[in-house]
Amino acid sequence: MTKIISSSIQALPRRAPFYQHLYVQVLAAIVLGVILGHFSPSLGEQMKPLGDTFIKLIKMLIAPIIFCTVVSGIAGMQDLKRIGRIGFKSLIYFEVLTTIALVIGLIGVNLLKPGAGMHIDPASLDASAIAGYTKAAHDQSVVGFLTHIVPSTVFGAFTDGDILQVLFISVLFAFGLQLLGDTGKPLLNTIDLVAKAFFRMLKIVMYLAPLGAFGGMAFTVGKYGVQSLGAYVNLLVCYYLTGLVFVFVVLNLVARLAGFSLWKFLK
C-alpha cells in the first residue's frame, strides 16, 4: 500500500518554479524597464523597438488566425442555409458588438480620463502616424463604410490588417469551400492544421512578452518620466474596468440570448 501511494505521489505533475510563469517574467521585466528608464532615460528611449516589434508580431498573427478559425467553423457545417445565416449573423454580430465596445470604451475614457497627468504637449506628437485613420474616419460615409467591407484584393485585407475585410473574405471563402463538398475536405483539413500552426506561433510569440513589456516601459519612463506611471495605472484600471463591463454585462446578455450561462462557462 505504501509503495502504491509513493508511486502515485511521484506520478503527480510537479509545479513549475514561480519564475517560470510568464506573468511573473512580464512583471519582472516591467520593473526592470522602469528602473532603466528612470536611471538612464536616453538608454530607456532606445528600447522602444522592443515594444513596437512585439506589438507588430501580435498584429501579424491576428488576421490569419481569424481567417482559419472562421473558415474552419463555417465550412465544417453541412447545411448551406445554416451557413448563410451564420455568415450573415457573424458580420452583424461583429459590427454591433464592436460598436457597443467602442461606446463602453468612450464612456470609460471620459469618466476616468486615463491620459490626465501625462503633461504631454500635443504639438510634440507625430500626427502623421494616425493621419490616415483620422482622414478615413472623417471622409467615410455609411455607403463608403459598407463598400469598404469588400477589399480591393484578397491579400490586401491581410496586408492592411483590416479585420472586417478579413472576416468578409473568411465567410465568402467558407461558402466556396463548403460548396465543393467532399472535394474541399482535404483543403479544410489543411486549414485546420494551419490554424493549429498559427496558434503555436502565437504561443512562441508570447514568450517574447517580457521583452516587449521591458522595452515599452523603459521607453515610456525614459521619455515621459517616472511620474507618467500614475497615468498608466489609471489607463490599466480603465482598460480592465471597461473590459469587465463588456464581458459580464454585454457578453453575458449575448450568452443568455444564445441559451447558455456565461458564469457556468467561465467556471
Side-chain angles (χ1 to χ4, degrees), residues 64-193:
I65 287 177
I66 290 177
F67 175 80
C68 292
T69 51
V70 171
V71 170
S72 178
I74 295 179
M77 300 179 182
Q78 300 298 325
D79 189 357
L80 190 60
K81 291 183 179 179
R82 189 182 179 190
I83 293 175
R85 291 194 298 269
I86 290 176
F88 178 74
K89 288 178 180 179
S90 296
L91 291 173
I92 298 299
Y93 175 84
F94 182 86
E95 284 300 316
V96 174
L97 268 292
T98 300
T99 302
I100 294 174
L102 288 172
V103 171
I104 293 174
L106 287 172
I107 293 174
V109 164
N110 283 279
L111 289 178
L112 299 178
K113 302 184 184 303
M118 289 292 289
H119 305 296
I120 300 174
D121 183 10
S124 64
L125 300 177
D126 183 12
S128 62
I130 59 170
Y133 298 101
T134 54
K135 185 178 186 303
H138 182 269
D139 297 340
Q140 199 172 61
S141 60
V142 175
V143 176
F145 173 77
L146 294 176
T147 56
H148 178 71
I149 295 176
V150 182
S152 301
T153 63
V154 171
F155 297 104
F158 292 90
T159 56
D160 295 338
D162 194 315
I163 301 304
L164 185 58
Q165 291 183 353
V166 171
L167 183 62
F168 175 79
I169 293 173
S170 304
V171 173
L172 196 61
F173 188 87
F175 269 108
L177 190 58
Q178 206 276 343
L179 288 172
L180 289 175
D182 293 337
T183 308
K185 286 186 177 180
L187 179 57
L188 180 58
N189 294 333
T190 301
I191 291 176
D192 288 337
L193 289 175

Side-chain angles (χ1 to χ4, degrees), residues 61 191-204:
L61 297 173
I191 291 176
D192 288 337
L193 289 175
V194 171
K196 292 179 181 179
F198 272 109
F199 277 112
R200 294 296 186 275
M201 290 173 62
L202 182 61
K203 184 177 181 179
I204 295 172

Side-chain angles (χ1 to χ4, degrees), residues 44-66:
E45 289 189 46
Q46 296 178 22
M47 298 297 107
K48 185 175 185 292
L50 292 176
D52 291 346
T53 303
F54 177 74
I55 293 174
K56 289 174 67 177
L57 285 170
I58 296 295
K59 291 174 65 177
M60 173 188 71
L61 297 173
I62 292 176
I65 287 177
I66 290 177

Side-chain angles (χ1 to χ4, degrees), residues 3-14:
K3 291 182 178 180
I4 295 175
I5 295 174
S6 171
S7 60
S8 299
I9 293 175
Q10 291 177 0
L12 291 174
R14 294 182 178 179

